[in-house]
Amino acid sequence: MKSQYIILILVLVVLFLIFGFKGVNNKKSTPELDSNIIKEYNEEDVEVIYLAGGCFWGVEEFFYRIDGVVDTVSGYANGDTENPTYEDVVFRNTNHAETVEVKYDPKLTDLTNILLYYFKIIDPTVLNRQGPDVGTQYRTGIYYTNDSQLGVIENIIKEEQKKYKEEIVVEVKPLENFYVAEEYHQDYL
């Protein structure tokens, strides 16, 4: 029964995030959410960033609806074991973070916009927890795939830090590994 309430709360939060921002967004700083969910792309035309922000269900759904994002995949990143299962991540201390692979078309959006959205849906000052999800697998993290992304990430964090008294504790590291989560975790919401 308790898990049903948690899922209901997560669904409500995601719906608020998806539909609540439409009228509030400043088009200059963040793109509109995409109402056209059919997305076609060439793999060589996209860039990718990996974002950990608590449970990957809501993060995956939220980012998939952003204009310019062409695909999202839930998975496990930067852990100590190969090919972990959800049970491994939760119960066997694999040190993986629930993470979403976010592929985006740089002609339609950029890493700055992706990260601005990311900071709207996480509490960057809390270590190893987001909302009711507690544990290292729910830590916040930005895992980059090339060094050119690091400067953008550092600049966004520097600007975001001005909004908080507490220190931002989002893990920023190169992507060490990423394993796609089980099929039942994909497009969950």
Side-chain angles (χ1 to χ4, degrees), residues 97-114:
E98 287 195 16
T99 302
V100 175
E101 176 187 63
V102 178
K103 292 181 180 180
Y104 60 96
D105 184 338
K107 293 181 294 248
L108 300 174
T109 192
D110 60 15
L111 183 57
T112 296
N113 284 328
I114 298 294

Side-chain angles (χ1 to χ4, degrees), residues 2-15 132:
K2 185 177 180 182
S3 64
Q4 290 173 329
Y5 287 121
I6 291 172
I7 290 172
L8 177 63
I9 290 170
L10 286 172
V11 169
L12 291 174
V13 167
V14 168
L15 289 173

Side-chain angles (χ1 to χ4, degrees), residues 46-99:
V46 301
E47 294 185 17
V48 65
I49 191 74
Y50 294 81
L51 302 174
C55 177
F56 46 36
W57 295 341
V59 176
E60 179 190 28
E61 177 66 16
F62 180 77
F63 277 98
Y64 191 72
R65 292 178 178 268
I66 294 174
D67 191 29
V69 172
V70 296
D71 197 19
T72 55
V73 177
S74 291
Y76 313 109
N78 283 17
D80 301 327
T81 62
E82 292 183 14
N83 299 309
T85 65
Y86 178 74
E87 288 73 22
D88 292 336
V89 172
V90 172
F91 300 114
R92 295 186 183 89
N93 300 321
T94 66
N95 201 36
H96 286 88
E98 287 195 16
T99 302

